[in-house]
């Protein structure tokens, strides 16, 4: 079974980057003990013996290393949507997109590309897509995120300008195309839909077939820690990506993917870094012979809320530290695959003063970057509700930390 995306021969000349990353991690006091001297990164077999890095480990390393780009500005981006201060990932201007563009060119000079990833709030995808569009030499409309009542006017504008390409997270794209379909707006010029940030949604295909029948999907997979790891084309399944040659993907025996950067410019010390995604390496049906990665979804407590990761366990732990709260549970309600509301149910201890749910709501909303960013246009969609009992599964009797509901 293939466990690395590169063959030992293809990886060998690039492993000096992994060795340097290992040395950098050894300088981090909190992590040094994980990397005793007998461990190394001079071959793929040796690399597989290294302990995987979790998000918190990487953030610990970055706080100590504070990397800086050699030949450009250093950009700080939000890395994950945990509670507390935003965790930070670093990238140089250009966001490593030269390497992506060398292998993947969804856009060309004839395109009019609508960048619908939200800009600001230390969010990376908008800038990364802008860098790719820049390399493509196309025309760019830097739209960013828009409020619900603005979709109609913008769709009319994009139709009149004959936009040929749009990019965003699938849940945001879903809003665009569901709105267009409901309003009877067609975008016959649209041929390319770029996406990144969460899994592709089958409902998008249905809306696209009506609104923009010429449009095909072009996907990127990555994170603020790894940046773009792999890409796919309309000929590949939506959950299969072809890793770039300077991104080494490893499928662990327990089915988790981890990533090691082989790009000497990379600022984040990405060495067997686990994003929490499960997956496997397999051949893609498009015919490219080298191993591609199939992404099978999250295995940790992080759930995608409008393209951002919400750590359910962390949110609950924070609520349960509140006086008067015995237990808490997160209910995520989705409409057409998009997060409509996030509700935190709180069970009171019944002793002392009852929890102040309105103050708790405000505190959690402000402190949880995923919530304040995802719901910036509809803050009322995050609620804290006192309950007499949490939602439990009648069959198993278990009370899960996260309950997902689909509303039509
Ligand atoms: Zn493929």
């Amino acid at each position: 079974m293939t466990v690395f995306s590169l063959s030992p021969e293809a990886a060998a000349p690039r492993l000096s980057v992994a060795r340097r990353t290992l040395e950098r991690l050894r300088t981090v006091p909190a992590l040094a003990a994980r990397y005793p001297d007998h461990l190394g990164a001079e071959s793929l077999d040796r690399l597989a013996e290294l302990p995987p890095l979790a998000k918190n480990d990487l953030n610990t390393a970055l706080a100590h290393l504070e990397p800086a780009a050699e030949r450009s500005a250093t950009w700080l981006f939000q890395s994950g949507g945990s509670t507390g201060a935003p965790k930070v990932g670093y990238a140089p201007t250009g966001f490593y997109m030269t390497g992506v563009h060398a292998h993947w060119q969804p856009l060309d000079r004839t395109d009019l590309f609508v960048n619908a990833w939200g800009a600001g709030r230390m969010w990376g995808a908008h800038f990364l897509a802008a860098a790719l569009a820049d390399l493509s030499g196309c025309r760019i409309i830097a739209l960013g995120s828009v409020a619900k009542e603005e979709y109609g006017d913008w769709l009319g504008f994009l139709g009149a300008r004959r936009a040929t390409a749009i990019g965003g997270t699938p849940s945001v794209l879903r809003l665009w195309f569901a709105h267009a379909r409901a309003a009877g707006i067609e975008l016959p010029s649209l041929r390319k839909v770029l996406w990144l940030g969460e899994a592709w949604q089958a409902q998008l295909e249905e809306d696209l077939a009506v609104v923009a029948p010429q449009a095909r999907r072009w996907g990127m997979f990555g994170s603020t820690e790894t940046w773009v790891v792999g890409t796919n084309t309309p000929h590949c399944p939506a959950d299969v990506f072809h890793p770039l040659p300077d991104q080494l993907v490893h499928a662990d025996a327990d089915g988790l993917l981890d990533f090691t950067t082989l790009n000497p410019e990379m600022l984040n010390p990405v060495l067997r870094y686990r994003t929490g995604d499960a997956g496997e390496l397999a051949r893609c049906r498009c015919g490219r012979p080298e191993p591609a990665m199939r992404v099978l979804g999250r295995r940790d407590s992080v759930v995608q809320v409008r393209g951002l990761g919400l750590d359910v366990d962390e949110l609950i732990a924070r609520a349960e530290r509140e006086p008067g709260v015995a237990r808490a549970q997160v209910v995520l309600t989705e409409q057409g695959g998009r997060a409509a509301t996030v509700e935190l149910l709180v069970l009171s201890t019944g002793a002392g003063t009852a929890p102040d749910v309105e103050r708790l709501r405000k505190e959690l909303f402000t402190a949880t970057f995923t919530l304040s960013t995802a719901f910036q246009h509809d803050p009322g969609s995050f609620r804290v509700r006192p309950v007499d009992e949490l939602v439990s599964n009648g069959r198993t009797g278990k009370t899960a930390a996260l309950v997902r509901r689909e509303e039509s």
Side-chain angles (χ1 to χ4, degrees):
M1 194 184 129
T2 312
V3 293
F4 278 105
S5 57
L6 292 173
S7 68
E9 299 74 36
R14 301 168 187 262
L15 282 176
S16 58
V17 177
R19 289 199 294 276
R20 202 194 64 191
T21 307
L22 177 59
E23 290 315 313
R24 285 169 73 203
L25 287 169
R26 279 184 169 134
T27 68
V28 181
L31 298 177
R34 298 162 50 111
Y35 300 105
D37 286 344
H38 68 84
L39 294 178
E42 55 278 355
S43 68
L44 293 183
D45 289 342
R46 297 278 281 147
L47 197 76
E49 293 169 8
L50 293 172
L53 272 181
K55 184 188 255 316
N56 284 341
D57 303 325
L58 194 69
N59 289 124
T60 301
L62 284 168
H64 178 80
L65 296 169
E66 290 205 335
E70 262 176 48
R71 281 184 291 274
S72 72
T74 301
W75 295 57
L76 278 64
F77 286 111
Q78 218 186 104
S79 151
S82 303
T83 52
K87 288 173 178 156
V88 171
Y90 296 78
T93 304
F95 319 104
Y96 316 110
M97 293 308 281
T98 313
V100 178
H101 182 254
H103 297 275
W104 188 71
Q105 288 124 20
L107 302 171
D108 60 53
R109 291 190 63 82
T110 66
D111 278 310
L112 174 57
F113 171 60
V114 181
N115 190 342
W117 275 285
R121 294 196 173 240
M122 299 175 70
W123 205 10
H126 183 94
F127 299 95
L128 166 165
L132 179 78
D134 187 22
L135 291 163
S136 313
C138 64
R139 286 166 295 147
I140 305 173
I141 292 177
L143 193 52
S145 69
V146 307
K148 204 167 24 177
E149 59 277 13
E150 298 175 308
Y151 280 103
D153 286 347
W154 280 112
L155 280 162
F157 172 75
L158 299 179
R161 299 298 316 180
R162 293 192 297 281
T164 63
I166 188 170
T169 46
S171 58
V172 169
L173 293 169
R174 183 87 213 290
L175 287 182
W176 280 103
F177 293 112
H179 192 103
R181 188 177 177 180
I185 298 170
E186 287 178 17
L187 299 171
S189 305
L190 197 74
R191 298 193 312 273
K192 301 159 183 180
V193 178
L194 278 63
W195 56 284
L196 165 72
E198 56 189 20
W200 181 252
Q201 298 186 10
Q203 300 96 318
L204 260 166
E205 305 276 1
E206 292 169 24
D207 290 342
L208 280 172
V210 177
V211 175
Q214 303 296 317
R216 299 291 174 267
R217 56 169 167 72
W218 296 79
M220 289 176 273
F221 177 88
S223 68
T224 319
E225 294 80 26
T226 60
W227 291 83
V228 177
V229 168
T231 58
N232 67 22
T233 75
H235 302 295
C236 313
D239 59 351
V240 175
F241 301 85
H242 294 275
L244 297 158
D246 57 8
Q247 295 274 14
L248 180 66
V249 183
H250 175 239
D252 217 339
D254 57 7
L256 284 172
L257 295 174
D258 62 74
F259 305 91
T260 297
T261 184
L262 301 180
N263 178 350
E265 312 274 307
M266 181 72 87
L267 299 181
N268 296 340
V270 175
L271 182 68
R272 293 212 59 208
Y273 174 68
R274 280 183 172 169
T275 53
D277 290 287
E280 61 192 14
L281 290 161
R283 226 179 128 154
C284 181
R285 72 169 182 224
C286 72
R288 280 175 64 175
E290 68 281 3
M293 63 173 174
R294 180 182 297 279
V295 179
L296 300 167
R298 310 286 300 199
R299 278 271 193 84
D300 54 14
S301 67
V302 176
V303 62
Q304 292 294 310
V305 174
R306 299 185 183 177
L308 294 169
L310 176 68
D311 192 325
V312 168
D313 288 351
E314 210 175 312
L315 188 64
I316 287 174
R318 204 180 158 102
E320 289 180 353
R321 285 199 294 271
E322 182 76 9
V325 174
R327 289 188 67 193
Q329 184 178 44
V330 173
V331 179
L332 170 65
T333 304
E334 292 173 307
Q335 267 173 351
R338 174 182 164 82
T341 62
V342 168
E343 260 194 324
L344 183 78
L345 308 184
V346 293
L347 194 62
S348 155
T349 53
T353 46
D356 182 347
V357 292
E358 200 33 51
R359 185 180 51 75
L360 182 61
R361 196 206 79 84
K362 266 189 204 142
E363 269 179 29
L364 292 174
F365 188 76
T366 316
T368 310
F369 281 79
T370 289
L371 295 174
S372 51
T373 304
F375 296 129
Q376 61 177 315
H377 296 303
D378 54 341
S381 298
F382 171 62
R383 295 191 280 269
V384 176
R385 191 156 61 88
V387 289
D388 294 328
E389 56 184 331
L390 300 179
V391 182
S392 65
N393 182 323
R395 189 170 51 78
T396 63
K398 283 186 182 160
T399 303
L402 172 71
V403 177
R404 296 179 88 126
R405 286 180 173 155
E406 177 70 34
E407 247 173 33
S408 51

